Coordinates of all heavy atoms in Angstrom, one line a residue:
V1 N 0.9 -1.2 0.0 CA 0.0 0.0 0.0 C 0.9 1.2 0.0 O 2.0 1.2 0.5 CB -0.9 0.0 1.2 CG1 -0.1 0.1 2.5 CG2 -2.0 1.0 1.1
D2 N 0.4 2.3 -0.6 CA 1.3 3.5 -0.8 C 1.8 4.1 0.5 O 3.0 4.6 0.6 CB 0.5 4.6 -1.5 CG 0.3 4.3 -3.0 OD1 1.0 3.4 -3.5 OD2 -0.5 4.9 -3.7
S3 N 1.1 4.0 1.6 CA 1.5 4.6 2.8 C 2.7 4.0 3.5 O 3.3 4.6 4.4 CB 0.3 4.6 3.8 OG -0.1 3.2 4.1
V4 N 3.1 2.8 3.1 CA 4.2 2.1 3.7 C 5.4 1.9 2.7 O 6.4 1.4 3.1 CB 3.9 0.8 4.4 CG1 2.7 1.0 5.4 CG2 3.5 -0.3 3.3
K5 N 5.2 2.2 1.4 CA 6.2 2.0 0.4 C 7.5 2.8 0.8 O 7.4 3.9 1.2 CB 5.7 2.5 -0.9 CG 4.8 1.5 -1.7 CD 4.4 2.0 -3.0 CE 3.5 1.0 -3.8 NZ 3.1 1.6 -5.1
G6 N 8.6 2.1 0.7 CA 9.9 2.7 1.1 C 10.2 2.6 2.5 O 11.4 2.8 2.9
R7 N 9.3 2.3 3.4 CA 9.5 2.1 4.8 C 9.4 0.6 5.2 O 10.2 0.1 6.1 CB 8.6 2.9 5.7 CG 8.7 4.4 5.5 CD 8.0 5.1 6.7 NE 6.6 4.8 6.7 CZ 5.9 4.3 7.8 NH1 6.6 4.1 8.9 NH2 4.7 4.0 7.8
F8 N 8.5 -0.1 4.6 CA 8.2 -1.5 5.0 C 8.7 -2.4 3.9 O 8.5 -2.1 2.7 CB 6.7 -1.7 5.3 CG 6.2 -1.1 6.5 CD1 6.9 -0.2 7.3 CD2 4.9 -1.4 7.0 CE1 6.4 0.4 8.4 CE2 4.4 -0.8 8.1 CZ 5.1 0.1 8.8
T9 N 9.2 -3.6 4.3 CA 9.6 -4.6 3.3 C 9.1 -6.0 3.8 O 9.4 -6.4 4.9 CB 11.2 -4.6 3.2 OG1 11.6 -3.3 2.8 CG2 11.6 -5.6 2.2
I10 N 8.5 -6.7 2.9 CA 8.1 -8.0 3.1 C 9.0 -9.0 2.4 O 9.4 -8.8 1.3 CB 6.6 -8.2 2.6 CG1 5.7 -7.3 3.3 CG2 6.2 -9.7 2.9 CD1 4.2 -7.4 2.8
S11 N 9.4 -10.0 3.1 CA 10.2 -11.1 2.6 C 9.7 -12.4 3.1 O 8.8 -12.5 3.9 CB 11.7 -10.9 3.0 OG 11.9 -10.9 4.4
R12 N 10.3 -13.5 2.6 CA 9.9 -14.8 3.0 C 11.0 -15.8 2.9 O 11.9 -15.6 2.1 CB 8.6 -15.3 2.3 CG 8.9 -16.1 1.0 CD 9.1 -15.2 -0.1 NE 9.2 -16.0 -1.4 CZ 10.3 -16.2 -2.0 NH1 11.4 -15.7 -1.6 NH2 10.3 -16.9 -3.1
D13 N 11.0 -16.8 3.8 CA 12.0 -17.9 3.7 C 11.1 -19.1 3.6 O 10.6 -19.6 4.6 CB 12.8 -17.9 5.0 CG 13.9 -19.0 4.9 OD1 13.7 -20.0 4.2 OD2 14.9 -18.8 5.6
T14 N 11.0 -19.6 2.4 CA 10.1 -20.8 2.2 C 10.6 -22.0 2.9 O 9.8 -22.9 3.3 CB 9.8 -21.1 0.7 OG1 11.1 -21.2 0.1 CG2 9.1 -19.9 0.1
A15 N 11.9 -22.2 3.1 CA 12.4 -23.3 3.8 C 12.0 -23.4 5.2 O 11.9 -24.4 5.8 CB 13.9 -23.3 3.7
K16 N 11.8 -22.2 5.8 CA 11.3 -22.1 7.2 C 9.8 -21.8 7.3 O 9.3 -21.6 8.4 CB 12.1 -20.9 7.9 CG 13.6 -21.2 8.0 CD 14.3 -20.0 8.7 CE 15.8 -20.3 8.9 NZ 16.4 -19.1 9.6
N17 N 9.2 -21.7 6.1 CA 7.7 -21.4 6.1 C 7.4 -20.1 6.9 O 6.4 -20.1 7.6 CB 6.9 -22.6 6.7 CG 6.8 -23.7 5.7 OD1 6.7 -23.5 4.5 ND2 6.8 -24.9 6.2
T18 N 8.3 -19.1 6.7 CA 8.2 -17.9 7.5 C 8.2 -16.7 6.6 O 9.0 -16.6 5.7 CB 9.3 -17.8 8.5 OG1 9.2 -19.0 9.4 CG2 9.2 -16.6 9.3
A19 N 7.3 -15.8 6.8 CA 7.3 -14.5 6.2 C 7.7 -13.4 7.2 O 7.5 -13.6 8.4 CB 5.9 -14.2 5.6
Y20 N 8.3 -12.3 6.7 CA 8.8 -11.3 7.5 C 8.2 -9.9 7.1 O 8.0 -9.7 5.9 CB 10.3 -11.2 7.5 CG 11.0 -12.5 7.9 CD1 11.3 -13.4 7.0 CD2 11.2 -12.8 9.3 CE1 12.0 -14.6 7.3 CE2 11.8 -14.0 9.6 CZ 12.2 -14.9 8.6 OH 12.8 -16.1 9.0
L21 N 8.0 -9.1 8.0 CA 7.7 -7.7 7.8 C 8.7 -6.8 8.5 O 8.6 -6.7 9.7 CB 6.2 -7.4 8.3 CG 5.8 -5.9 8.1 CD1 5.7 -5.5 6.6 CD2 4.4 -5.7 8.8
Q22 N 9.6 -6.2 7.7 CA 10.6 -5.3 8.3 C 10.0 -3.9 8.2 O 9.6 -3.4 7.1 CB 11.9 -5.4 7.5 CG 12.9 -4.4 8.1 CD 14.3 -4.5 7.3 OE1 14.5 -5.4 6.5 NE2 15.1 -3.6 7.6
M23 N 9.9 -3.2 9.3 CA 9.4 -1.9 9.4 C 10.4 -0.9 9.8 O 11.0 -1.0 10.9 CB 8.2 -1.9 10.3 CG 7.1 -2.9 10.0 SD 5.7 -2.9 11.1 CE 6.5 -3.6 12.6
N24 N 10.7 0.1 9.0 CA 11.7 1.1 9.3 C 11.0 2.5 9.5 O 9.9 2.7 9.0 CB 12.7 1.2 8.2 CG 13.5 -0.1 8.0 OD1 13.8 -0.8 8.9 ND2 13.8 -0.4 6.7
W25 N 11.7 3.4 10.1 CA 11.2 4.7 10.3 C 9.7 4.7 10.9 O 8.9 5.4 10.4 CB 11.3 5.5 9.0 CG 12.7 5.7 8.6 CD1 13.3 5.1 7.6 CD2 13.6 6.6 9.1 NE1 14.6 5.5 7.5 CE2 14.8 6.4 8.4 CE3 13.6 7.5 10.2 CZ2 16.0 7.2 8.7 CZ3 14.8 8.3 10.5 CH2 15.9 8.1 9.7
L26 N 9.5 3.9 11.9 CA 8.2 3.8 12.5 C 7.8 5.1 13.1 O 8.6 5.9 13.6 CB 8.2 2.7 13.5 CG 8.2 1.3 12.9 CD1 8.6 0.3 14.0 CD2 6.8 0.9 12.3
N27 N 6.5 5.4 13.0 CA 5.9 6.6 13.7 C 4.7 6.2 14.4 O 4.2 5.0 14.3 CB 5.6 7.7 12.6 CG 4.7 7.2 11.5 OD1 3.5 6.8 11.8 ND2 5.2 7.2 10.3
V28 N 4.1 7.1 15.2 CA 3.0 6.7 16.1 C 1.8 6.3 15.4 O 1.0 5.5 15.9 CB 2.7 7.9 17.0 CG1 3.8 8.2 18.0 CG2 2.3 9.1 16.2
E29 N 1.7 6.7 14.1 CA 0.5 6.2 13.3 C 0.6 4.8 12.9 O -0.3 4.2 12.4 CB 0.4 7.1 12.1 CG -0.1 8.5 12.3 CD 0.9 9.4 12.9 OE1 2.1 9.2 12.6 OE2 0.6 10.4 13.6
D30 N 1.8 4.2 13.1 CA 2.0 2.8 12.8 C 1.6 1.9 14.0 O 1.6 0.6 13.8 CB 3.4 2.5 12.4 CG 3.9 3.2 11.2 OD1 3.1 3.1 10.2 OD2 5.0 3.7 11.2

């Protein structure tokens, strides 16, 4: 979604069946 582009990154490790949400520059609205 546009509001998190450039700040949030989604990745996954299929071998571990795990997805990640890396969140940078967090603000109170998050």
Side-chain angles (χ1 to χ4, degrees):
V1 67
D2 286 345
S3 61
V4 305
K5 280 182 181 177
R7 295 194 302 127
F8 290 11
T9 301
I10 299 174
S11 61
R12 89 276 186 258
D13 184 336
T14 56
K16 296 181 178 179
N17 286 323
T18 300
Y20 303 94
L21 176 64
Q22 180 180 348
M23 303 181 291
N24 299 323
W25 296 104
L26 286 162
N27 55 63
V28 294
E29 289 75 28
D30 295 316

